[in-house]
Amino acid sequence: MEEKIKLHDREFILSITASQIQDAVARVASAINRDMAGEDLLFISILNGAFMFTADLLKRIGMNCQVTFVKLSSYRDASSTGIIKELIGLNEDIRGRSVIVVEDIVDTGATLGRIMDQLTIHNPKQIRVATLLLKPDVFKGKIPVDYVGLEVPNAFIVGYGLDYNGLGRNLEGIYEIV
Ligand code: 5GP
């Protein structure tokens, strides 16, 4: 694995190795396997960033389960001037089901809050959250994050699904901006 990489105009250094990531993924998977045995389980993966974590996580889930992928579309609301983030692409009926939202990183928790609001209205049996990464120093959300792979400091990171202006998602490790 490269120690230093360049994406566009910025340099990044390796901060979490591929094997540390895989250990974290395994820990999250075994907690889910333990807690969710016997549930009608649906994973909802938030694109784009969570695609790689979702793939590795799902390989380690030992019970029957489904997975679907959704996206957040951002648009400016003319009446409130705020940015509205709407969940698009959810075709499954989640009523009465056990849902696990799969996120790459939870920073302030604002995005997660929006996602939870939009899922709750469909009356699932329960919603849990699994994120590979959490920035605890920035997190202001009220939503409990049930499964956290690794806590990271408040710095901009890329790799393993996370991008910098479109680049870096393919990296096996996680890199921090210099
Ligand atoms: P939040 O709404 O929790 O503040 O932000 C969550 C979203 O911001 C993540 O899903 C991710 O898209 C983006 N994000 C937050 N921190 C980072 C980071 O360090 N690197 C990258 N590439 N994206 C981040």
Side-chain angles (χ1 to χ4, degrees):
M1 227 179 304
E2 300 267 5
E3 280 290 327
K4 259 193 174 178
I5 54 157
K6 192 162 183 220
L7 302 173
H8 300 294
D9 53 332
R10 301 299 299 254
E11 290 206 330
F12 296 81
I13 51 162
L14 183 64
S15 69
I16 307 171
T17 65
S19 92
Q20 286 172 318
I21 294 171
Q22 292 307 320
D23 289 349
V25 175
R27 282 196 299 275
V28 171
S30 54
I32 293 173
N33 283 326
R34 180 196 63 210
D35 295 350
M36 304 303 272
E39 295 293 331
D40 175 15
L41 195 54
L42 172 67
F43 290 89
I44 299 182
S45 172
I46 313 299
L47 293 173
N48 292 325
F51 79 95
M52 204 175 275
F53 174 44
T54 305
D56 284 345
L57 179 68
L58 269 282
K59 283 183 265 184
R60 296 173 186 270
I61 298 299
M63 71 192 96
N64 287 349
C65 61
Q66 292 183 355
V67 61
T68 192
F69 297 85
V70 299
K71 233 180 158 142
L72 284 166
S73 70
S74 295
Y75 64 91
R76 199 170 282 279
D77 179 10
S79 60
S80 75
T81 70
I83 300 283
I84 304 290
K85 282 188 170 179
E86 190 191 9
L87 210 54
I88 52 171
L90 185 67
N91 300 317
E92 283 71 12
D93 186 2
I94 65 168
R95 185 177 307 273
R97 305 193 66 184
S98 290
V99 169
I100 298 186
V101 173
V102 185
E103 267 279 25
D104 49 358
I105 184 163
V106 175
D107 189 350
T108 62
T111 305
L112 188 59
R114 290 291 305 157
I115 294 167
M116 298 298 269
D117 288 347
Q118 292 180 55
L119 292 177
T120 308
I121 52 175
H122 297 294
N123 292 318
K125 177 181 170 188
Q126 59 176 321
I127 311 179
R128 296 197 180 196
V129 179
T131 185
L132 178 66
L133 304 160
L134 176 75
K135 290 183 177 171
D137 298 341
V138 201
F139 183 59
K140 295 194 295 261
K142 292 183 241 10
I143 293 112
V145 183
D146 305 277
Y147 306 104
V148 176
L150 294 161
E151 294 193 343
V152 290
N154 183 23
F156 186 77
I157 53 182
V158 294
Y160 197 76
L162 292 164
D163 75 309
Y164 168 55
N165 287 347
L167 296 182
R169 294 193 197 276
N170 56 308
L171 298 162
E172 250 192 314
I174 287 172
Y175 293 74
E176 188 179 309
I177 201 156
V178 183

